[in-house]
Amino acid sequence: MLLEKINQKGKLSLNIVSIIGIFICAFFIRLFYFDTELQLFNDENVYHYAGSNILEYGTLTSDRDGVINRGEAEAVPVSTIQPGYPVFIAMIYGVFGENQYLIRYANIIISLLTMFFIFKITKALNLHRLVVGLILVLVTLYPGFNYNTAKILSEHLFTLLVIAHIYYFIVYLKEKNKKSLIMSITLISFATYVRAHAFPLLIISLAFIVIYHNKNIKQVVKNISISLGIFVLVQLPWWIRNYIHFDQFILFSNAGDNPKIWGALPYFIGIFEVDNQTLSNLLKSSINVDQILFVKWRIFGFFQYMWADVWDEYLVHPFQ
């Protein structure tokens, strides 16, 4: 009996040490790909200047070239980008100073927190410790979690909020814990601030509430009301701000109105001719477009264009 207890404690200690070791490896791997000479590129500039301009002008702007930040153009409020990541950047710049490398260090911490919540999900699902270890190793080595830490992009913060939401929602489903439900819905509501396509996860969560409480209509109504109330409360500042500036209700960002968004036109045919037109006008003028061509573009052409070289070349060919 005593030997069994000692053996169990030994296995538990080894398991804890292994998990800690995996997290330490994950930290150093992410740190290894941290590039202090990496220049901002494309959307990174948008987020960097948006965060900086929030501190400077107190409003959300789209400033890809930094002309507003340098005082060469007026700080005009926009609703074409979600405010979550620029506000996150502004908070870090406001506390620690405007240093883009701080965001990249924050990405490493966020990535490790995401890994921690993935670990928590595996424990909540009662997975075998070998499966847990395998999952953590895969998360440690996954290229997207590594080289993206050097990018000032919203992926890491968005992923953390979504994974944390999933964990708390699983806990809620298992324990019927109201605090977990509130935390879960709050996290996914803030995730929509970072990227609007988190919103379907809220709908899925509501569907699960109905499924798991289908014998208790009163509980279903109560929990859905709590969830929708939290979502509205979190989104309210964004809606009020947009109504003040644009005199209209804007649920999320309206960036999709620009047909220059990647993939709106098959093989980018005539893309410069429709610059600054709304997506609705583009669809009206393209009603006779060859549908087979568009499907071919979306399935093969666009996918190849966007993802042919998805990973950083150093990760793909590290010794060449």
Side-chain angles (χ1 to χ4, degrees), residues 145 163 176 195 202 215 224-225 238 275 282 294 312:
F145 284 166
I163 295 297
K176 302 295 185 292
R195 289 189 166 197
L202 174 65
K215 294 181 180 179
I224 287 180
S225 298
W238 172 247
D275 190 19
L282 172 62
F294 187 79
D312 183 81

Side-chain angles (χ1 to χ4, degrees), residues 52-214:
S52 179
N53 289 342
I54 287 173
L55 295 176
E56 183 68 24
Y57 303 105
T59 190
L60 182 66
T61 61
S62 182
D63 189 20
R64 187 177 297 272
D65 300 317
V67 292
I68 297 174
N69 191 258
R70 294 191 298 270
E72 299 171 6
E74 183 183 355
V76 179
V78 299
S79 61
T80 54
I81 55 177
Q82 287 295 102
Y85 197 57
V87 169
F88 170 76
I89 291 174
M91 290 169 63
I92 292 179
Y93 285 172
V95 175
F96 300 104
E98 192 170 313
N99 186 337
Q100 59 181 265
Y101 298 114
L102 292 172
I103 309 298
R104 291 168 176 165
Y105 284 121
N107 281 344
I108 295 176
I109 297 172
I110 290 171
S111 181
L112 292 174
L113 284 173
T114 301
M115 187 172 170
F116 172 75
F117 276 107
I118 291 173
F119 168 69
K120 295 283 285 182
I121 289 172
T122 64
K123 302 302 288 183
L125 296 175
N126 298 317
L127 299 182
H128 191 277
R129 63 177 181 272
L130 293 179
V131 177
V132 173
L134 176 60
I135 290 171
L136 291 181
V137 168
L138 291 175
V139 173
T140 297
L141 299 177
Y142 178 57
F145 284 166
N146 291 319
Y147 95 94
N148 263 347
T149 54
K151 305 285 186 180
I152 302 181
L153 296 172
S154 60
E155 278 84 350
H156 280 291
L157 181 60
F158 177 76
T159 303
L160 171 62
L161 292 171
V162 169
I163 295 297
H165 152 74
I166 292 171
Y167 165 69
Y168 282 108
F169 197 75
I170 289 172
V171 173
Y172 157 70
L173 292 178
K174 289 183 66 176
E175 301 177 3
K176 302 295 185 292
N177 187 324
K178 282 289 192 303
K179 290 182 181 179
S180 297
L181 175 64
I182 292 171
M183 181 64 76
S184 173
I185 300 302
T186 300
L187 286 164
I188 202 61
S189 298
F190 276 110
T192 61
Y193 263 137
V194 180
R195 289 189 166 197
H197 53 257
F199 181 68
L201 290 174
L202 174 65
I203 304 302
I204 293 171
S205 299
L206 298 180
F208 269 91
I209 290 173
V210 173
I211 292 169
Y212 274 79
H213 291 293
N214 59 354

